[in-house]
Amino acid sequence: MTSATVPTVLVLPGEGIGPEVVGAARQVLEHVLDRAGLDATLREHTVGLPAYERTGQWLPDPVRDDIDQVAQSPRGAVLFGASADEPIGELRSRYDLFANLRPARPLRALREISPLRPERLDGVDLLLVRELVSDVYYGRRRTGVDAGQRWAGQEMYYREDEIRRIVRCALRHAETRRGRLTLVHKANAIPDVFGLWLDVLAEEAPAHPHVEVQDMYADTMAMQMVLRPADFDVVVTSNLLGDVLSEITGAVCGSLGLLPSATLSPTGFALYEPVGGTAPDIAGTGRANPLGTIGSVELMLRHTFDAPRWADCLARAVERAVESWRTPDIAGPGKPPCTTDEMATAVREAFDAVVAEEETQR
Ligand code: ATP
């Protein structure tokens, strides 16, 4: 790899459990890079509440300048922890991080902690593709008083090109997976916005003849994701509906703390973060599960580093580590829980064992 293509990873822990899970995942990332002989530049910055308290800015100017520069490159990445407020919204919109990929595949060793019966988990391997920079979140906001009653409104808005690029992204992923795509919507109650989503899907699908396309109302989908999650492959949806549905995938897999995500911009610049938030109820206690953030490192190895071999080894290491080590959210009855750092150490050790086995088989 020439120096021009060496990936740069900006580490932004944020607040709440962010520093704990990112600290653990950074250790794993550095270990994998070292073991794999992969070059990378890592720089860490303070953002979110601790930055605001120190500088009055959620995303201080020097940090923004550094991200601006790194975001020019398809080999640029951010490893983000969590923020209850800004700067995550600003990062998403400033860098056009529109395609949020949330894979959900329950770990074999954790079947007993899912609230679903084990047989319902057989074959669950779902990729939720959530549009991330539009929708009601960014819509026009108004408030007022009418006939003595306070009122509030926030507009749901989608432009055709915003829908088209996320639908194309989902179709491309479906093509490389099991070839099934489900568009989730509420066209019965919100016909203009979701009618446009359905029209765009109908226009784009013919270019992917090997992908079987269906659409489903969001309320039906919420039920079906619990009743028959294994039937879904790629699921594409709007920002708001994706926010809700991804919490269901967290429950299906056993804990929100297990789920990773990657968010891509049109240039390839990407932000990796766990699906869960700041989790103030457990912040600072060493109880946070780092596996969602470590899973985000796995996605980074695939996308930013283009290193699928090492990503596969890391995935196998996580499967192996949870056979013996588990944070409280996934410990299950009668199993002594471990801390965030112990979980990361277990993954590093399992990674070495997986790589050693792989090398003897070569
Ligand atoms: P935010 O406002 O930042 O979204 P929140 O508490 O409303 O914070 P989450 O952070 O997503 O939402 O947490 C929802 C629940 O999931 C909490 O009970 C939290 O403890 C749990 N949770 C989230 N992430 C983890 C994790 N990494 N490990 C263990 N539990 C987690």
Side-chain angles (χ1 to χ4, degrees):
M1 206 182 278
T2 66
S3 62
T5 59
V6 169
T8 300
V9 180
L10 300 181
V11 180
L12 311 181
E15 72 224 40
I17 60 168
E20 296 162 74
V21 292
V22 165
R26 181 179 175 159
Q27 280 177 39
V28 171
L29 173 62
E30 288 179 335
H31 184 78
V32 171
L33 296 179
D34 190 40
R35 190 72 185 72
L38 293 168
D39 281 341
T41 304
L42 268 65
R43 286 195 291 277
E44 187 157 330
H45 295 297
T46 302
V47 299
L49 190 60
Y52 186 79
E53 284 168 354
R54 210 180 297 164
T55 67
Q57 289 182 299
W58 304 98
L59 188 64
D61 292 337
V63 182
R64 189 184 289 115
D65 291 347
D66 200 12
I67 307 175
D68 281 353
Q69 189 226 319
V70 169
Q72 311 278 324
S73 162
R75 291 252 165 165
V78 165
L79 179 62
F80 190 77
S83 69
D85 202 328
E86 285 301 345
I88 191 63
E90 182 179 349
L91 291 174
R92 288 170 181 169
S93 55
R94 183 175 178 88
Y95 303 105
D96 201 15
L97 290 158
F98 75 98
N100 184 221
L101 311 180
R102 299 185 159 186
R105 198 176 51 224
L107 295 168
R108 275 189 309 277
L110 297 184
R111 287 165 68 95
E112 81 272 17
I113 63 143
S114 169
L116 299 191
R117 286 203 300 273
E119 64 271 20
R120 289 219 168 132
L121 295 177
D122 287 338
V124 173
D125 182 3
L126 189 149
L127 177 67
L128 186 71
V129 178
R130 172 186 169 197
E131 198 289 327
L132 210 58
V133 292
S134 188
D135 205 344
V136 68
Y137 291 59
Y138 297 91
R140 192 160 55 106
R141 295 163 62 172
R142 290 171 307 141
T143 55
V145 178
D146 187 9
Q149 299 296 314
R150 287 170 296 160
W151 61 265
Q154 190 158 335
E155 189 181 29
M156 180 180 275
Y157 173 95
Y158 262 111
R159 218 176 51 197
E160 180 181 1
D161 56 344
E162 294 171 333
I163 302 170
R164 196 173 301 283
R165 64 182 182 173
I166 196 74
V167 165
R168 282 185 180 162
C169 170
L171 282 162
R172 279 198 302 273
H173 276 87
E175 219 158 41
T176 63
R177 291 170 49 100
R178 301 201 306 282
R180 267 182 278 156
L181 177 70
T182 307
L183 169 70
V184 179
H185 61 90
K186 270 305 277 181
N188 49 347
I190 311 171
D192 293 321
V193 173
F194 286 111
L196 188 55
W197 275 77
L198 288 167
D199 288 349
V200 170
L201 178 65
E203 289 156 18
E204 292 298 326
H208 301 265
H210 302 300
V211 179
E212 186 192 318
V213 170
Q214 62 169 348
D215 68 275
M216 197 172 278
Y217 292 136
D219 44 336
T220 309
M221 184 67 181
M223 182 172 71
Q224 297 301 342
M225 276 173 96
V226 175
L227 293 179
R228 49 182 190 96
D231 287 358
F232 300 99
D233 179 16
V234 178
V235 175
V236 65
T237 192
S238 65
N239 201 347
L240 177 64
L241 298 181
D243 198 359
V244 177
L245 292 180
S246 52
E247 302 269 325
I248 301 177
T249 61
V252 166
C253 291
S255 168
L256 200 53
L258 291 167
L259 296 190
S261 82
T263 312
L264 314 180
S265 79
T267 64
F269 170 65
L271 181 143
Y272 301 89
E273 62 176 327
V275 167
T278 55
D281 50 336
I282 55 167
T285 65
R287 294 164 60 86
N289 188 337
L291 292 182
T293 322
I294 291 171
S296 306
V297 165
E298 181 205 320
L299 298 177
M300 184 192 291
L301 290 167
R302 287 189 201 286
H303 176 75
T304 298
F305 286 82
D306 194 19
R309 175 186 164 201
W310 302 106
D312 290 345
C313 287
L314 181 54
R316 284 169 56 203
V318 168
E319 283 278 2
R320 192 171 294 194
V322 294
E323 284 169 12
S324 316
W325 295 88
R326 299 179 188 182
T327 46
D329 56 317
I330 55 171
K335 294 230 168 46
C338 71
T339 64
T340 310
D341 281 342
E342 285 168 342
M343 190 75 245
T345 303
V347 172
R348 289 203 323 256
E349 288 173 4
F351 181 82
D352 289 344
V354 166
V355 173
E357 278 169 25
E358 206 207 32
E359 281 170 355
T360 50
Q361 283 161 14
R362 278 176 170 236

